[in-house]
Every structure is written in C-alpha cells, then in structure tokens.
Amino acid sequence: MAVPGMATGAGVGAAVACAAVVALLSAVLALYGPPLDAVLERAFSLNKACSIKDMKNTFQLVRNIIPPLTTKKHKGQDGRIGIVGGCQEYTGAPYFAAISALKVGADLSHVFCTQEAAPVIKSYSPELIVHPVLDSPDAVQDVEKWLPRLHALVVGPGLGRDDGLLRNVKGILEASKARDVPVVIDADGLWLIAEQPALIQGYQKAVLTPNHAEFRRLSEAVLRDPLDSSDPHGAVLRLSQALGNVTVVRKGERDVISDGRQVLECSQEGSSRRCGGQGDLLSGSLGVLVHWALLAGPEKTDGFSPLLVAAFGACSLTRQCSHQAFQKHGRSTTTTDMVAEVGPAFARLFES
Ligand SMILES: NC(=O)C1=CN([C@@H]2O[C@H](COP(=O)(O)OP(=O)(O)OC[C@H]3O[C@@H](n4cnc5c(N)ncnc54)[C@H](OP(=O)(O)O)[C@@H]3O)[C@@H](O)[C@H]2O)[C@@H](O)CC1
Ligand SMILES: Nc1ncnc2c1ncn2[C@@H]1O[C@H](COP(=O)(O)OP(=O)(O)OP(=O)(O)O)[C@@H](O)[C@H]1O
Ligand SMILES: [Mg+2]
C-alpha cells in the first residue's frame, strides 16, 4: 500500500550494497586516517543516495522487527519500558513518553520520577507504574533493582536540570550500561550528555534524540566546533562517529538518523503544529522499538543497524500521528490528540 510522504525506489539489496561500500570506506578511514574530510564526504554522498531511495524499504524493515501478537505470550514479553524523568515543573513529558510506549505495544511502562511529581503523573493514567524515587538518596539503587526486569530505559523527558537529580541519573546510566540495558536519551538527559559525553561514549545500545537546540549543544560540546548548518546529514554522521557510533536522531523539519556508518532521513508527512510533547511521544515509542529491533537482530533488518531501523520507525510514527491529529483538530492539535492516533497511525504505516 502506498503511504503518503514515502519515497519509492531501489530494493533492500541496493541498501545492503550501499552499506557494504560505506563499511568499506569506514574501514579505509580507520586504516589510513586523514584526509578524513574527503573520504567522509564521499561516504556521506553515498549514504545520502541510499537513504532517499530506500525509505520505502526501511518501512519494510520496521515491519520485520514487530513481534507477532499471539496467545502464547505472557505479560511483559512485548516490552517493559522505564522512563526516567518527571519533576516539579514537568509532569507531562514523562507521561507522554510512558503512555506512548504502551500505545505502541509495550506491556508495562514504569516512570521513575521525583516524589512530588509522582501523584500528578499517576493521576493522569492508571496504566502507568510510578516510582517516586528519583530525588531520594537511594535513587540509583532504587532504579537499579528494577533494571533486570526492564527491556529499555528512556532517560530525560521532564527531568529538569537540578544538579542532584542529574547526579542520580548519571548513576542510573552507569548501572544501565553495566547491565547492557538499551537507553534512549532525550531532553534534559541530553543536557547531562553534553556536560559529560564520556557517560555514553561508545555505548552501542544508546540512541540520542536531540531537537534543534539539543543537537547544537551536544554537537558543539562533543566536536568542539561551531555547528555547520549547511550540511545537516554530515553533522549527524560526525556527531555519531565522535561518540563512538552511538545512534543519533536529529529531529526537525526532516529527521536525520545516523549510527556513524549510515545516514537515514525520515520525511514522513507530519504537520505544522509545533506543540510541546511531540518529542516525548517519539522517545517513548522509540524505547519499545529499540527493544523489538534488538530482539529481532540484524538478520531481520537486512544489514542495517537495528537501532537505525527502530529510530526510523519512531520518527515516521510520530510524524504520522501529528499528521492524522492535525487532520482532525487543526490548530488546536495537542500531543494528547497525537497519542490518540498512535494505534491507527501504527496500523497504517506498519500493519497494512
Ligand atoms: N508538557 C511537558 O511537561 C513538557 C515538558 N518538556 C520538558 O521541558 C524540558 C526542557 O525541554 P526543552 O525542549 O524546552 O528544552 P531546551 O532544549 O532548553 O529548548 C529550549 C529552547 O530551545 C529553543 N528551541 C527548541 N527547539 C527549537 C527549534 N526547533 N528551533 C530553534 N530553537 C529551538 C527554544 O528557544 P527560544 O525560541 O525560546 O529562544 C526553546 O525555548 C525537558 O525536560 C522536556 O522534556 C517538553 O518535553 C515539552 C512538554
Ligand atoms: N519543522 C518541522 N516540521 C515538521 N515536523 C517537525 C518539525 N520540527 C520537528 N518536527 C517533528 O516533531 C517531532 C518532535 O520534534 P521536536 O523537535 O519538536 O522535539 P522536541 O523539541 O524534543 O519536543 P518536545 O516538546 O517533546 O520536547 C518529531 O517527530 C519531528 O520530526
Ligand atoms: Mg524534547
């Protein structure tokens, strides 16, 4: 079925061929070092060709990672996701992330927030499990004891920038890495990473989802250079490489996704509404898709990194939710209207 906003083009085979060329170029880069720019430029233009042609095929790869709904599974198998965020000022952001994870298909969604934020977040939805632990002196241990039961953590929505909270989140990130738990880092979690990039350096199960301001901050902190706005794909590729191939999703008019080897672009039609919370829907959805993609493994994603495919899925889903909500509500569209579209948008993009 044709999906609006989707480019058509070459087959998955072409993507794999491109991937091979890019992998080769990366190997050349690793072996011979500078002049990096010339080689990167070439690698990148190959990537660009791949990404545009293969948007249609990338949808198929997302379909490949979606677990079947069967009567043989028990509660939790399709995803137990944790959201780390929620403080006095921001209660909506962790709620949007957590409810979106459930609506995409996770079975259980936990929110680890401050004591004050917990009753507020609980009152939004009986479906969320809310732990008022993030500002406790035992925050790291309190979250750590849940880690063996969680498939992915989404760190940052509505976290705020309180030094004590950020210290606790640093400990939670270190504990997650030690246990190999995949992490999606968004919003104020990215503030922490811009301050201490070493926290995430080289962690292959991390995805960063910066908006415009967050990308600039991160990029300038990590690359120690003013952001080159003339080359949006190259900027994402370079940031990912500098972070040791951590997957980066730069949100914007077009979303640009890279694992430092390949670049994908998502230009699924969204809407012109820029109400707050849309990024939280994206990061919550991505938490589930990351779990599904890693479970499915690279054989289901045809040579693409599973995290790249998960990210493309979350970006296209968020934009499709925005598109559908806007068709119904126009200028009054809010993120709550988009959350109501998660099911229909998911079915339209990935199940028809
Ligand atoms: N309902 C809730 O609870 C919600 C809570 N949220 C939570 O809020 C916390 C802070 O998150 P954040 O995104 O507001 O912080 P940050 O990165 O400092 O950006 C601030 C400034 O950056 C700029 N700017 C942003 N985008 C830009 C663009 N495309 N193009 C150009 N400029 C752009 C813009 O600057 P301005 O236009 O004001 O000069 C903007 O004011 C975080 O915890 C998050 O989760 C949200 O999730 C929403 C729903
Ligand atoms: N100019 C734009 N045109 C179309 N879609 C956009 C545009 N900017 C962002 N988006 C889409 O909106 C969604 C959220 O991106 P955005 O940059 O608003 O994140 P954010 O600032 O982190 O959101 P939040 O308010 O949740 O913190 C993404 O799906 C992105 O593709
Ligand atoms: Mg955000």
Side-chain angles (χ1 to χ4, degrees), residues 89-94 96 156-161 186-188 211-214 217 276-277 280:
E89 294 92 336
Y90 307 124
T91 54
F96 288 135
L159 176 62
R161 293 172 192 171
D186 187 27
D188 302 311
N211 65 16
H212 179 84
E214 290 154 351
R217 197 180 297 129
D280 307 316

Side-chain angles (χ1 to χ4, degrees), residues 42-300:
R42 252 191 89 205
F44 174 62
S45 58
L46 283 166
N47 277 330
K48 195 168 178 182
C50 288
S51 66
I52 293 166
K53 280 189 194 147
D54 290 303
M55 214 169 133
K56 180 181 178 186
N57 301 306
T58 313
F59 276 104
Q60 186 52 49
L61 300 184
V62 179
R63 292 187 187 106
N64 291 353
I65 66 163
I66 297 170
L69 288 167
T70 77
T71 55
K72 304 290 178 220
K73 287 186 188 160
H74 62 260
K75 178 179 59 185
Q77 267 186 291
D78 275 345
R80 294 184 292 267
I81 308 301
I83 312 295
V84 178
C87 62
Q88 188 183 23
E89 294 92 336
Y90 307 124
T91 54
Y95 161 76
F96 288 135
I99 198 74
S100 300
L102 285 176
K103 293 283 181 190
V104 164
D107 292 331
L108 294 164
S109 204
H110 294 253
V111 178
F112 300 93
C113 60
T114 65
Q115 189 156 23
E116 227 174 346
V120 182
I121 298 170
K122 279 180 205 276
S123 74
Y124 295 151
S125 167
E127 277 141 340
L128 306 182
I129 300 163
V130 183
H131 308 265
V133 298
L134 214 49
D135 49 350
S136 123
D138 302 322
V140 179
Q141 295 91 305
D142 286 343
V143 177
E144 199 170 10
K145 68 182 180 219
W146 283 93
L147 287 181
R149 281 176 273 177
L150 296 178
H151 294 117
L153 273 191
V154 180
V155 178
L159 176 62
R161 293 172 192 171
D162 174 83
D163 284 342
L165 285 186
L166 293 178
R167 250 193 315 278
N168 288 342
V169 170
K170 178 180 175 188
I172 293 166
L173 276 175
E174 282 164 344
S176 305
K177 280 195 298 181
R179 290 180 176 274
D180 220 24
V181 175
V183 290
V184 174
I185 306 188
D186 187 27
D188 302 311
L190 296 170
W191 174 269
L192 177 62
I193 299 302
E195 300 273 300
Q196 301 180 48
L199 259 179
I200 210 67
Q201 181 75 33
Y203 187 47
Q204 299 301 304
K205 292 192 176 174
V207 186
L208 312 184
T209 55
N211 65 16
H212 179 84
E214 290 154 351
F215 184 82
R216 177 178 293 275
R217 197 180 297 129
L218 258 181
S219 195
E220 294 184 350
V222 172
L223 298 170
R224 297 168 196 276
D225 248 344
L227 181 60
D228 172 8
S229 47
S230 69
D231 181 13
H233 285 213
V236 180
L237 184 77
R238 277 187 277 274
L239 176 60
S240 171
Q241 287 174 340
L243 287 169
N245 297 98
V246 165
T247 302
V248 177
V249 180
R250 182 185 190 175
K251 300 173 290 190
E253 189 173 350
R254 290 155 182 266
D255 299 328
V256 180
I257 308 162
S258 181
D259 63 351
R261 298 177 187 92
Q262 295 171 302
V263 180
L264 284 181
E265 184 178 283
C266 178
S267 53
Q268 181 71 20
E269 188 177 1
S271 84
S272 301
R273 273 291 280 152
R274 300 271 63 82
C275 55
Q278 301 186 44
D280 307 316
L281 191 158
L282 192 156
S283 59
S285 308
L286 182 53
V288 190
L289 288 165
V290 159
H291 165 51
W292 290 352
L294 289 171
L295 206 60
E299 53 291 355
K300 290 282 177 78

Side-chain angles (χ1 to χ4, degrees), residues 324-335:
Q324 290 182 193
F326 189 78
Q327 283 184 323
K328 292 182 185 166
H329 305 283
R331 193 179 285 272
S332 82
T333 300
T334 60
T335 300

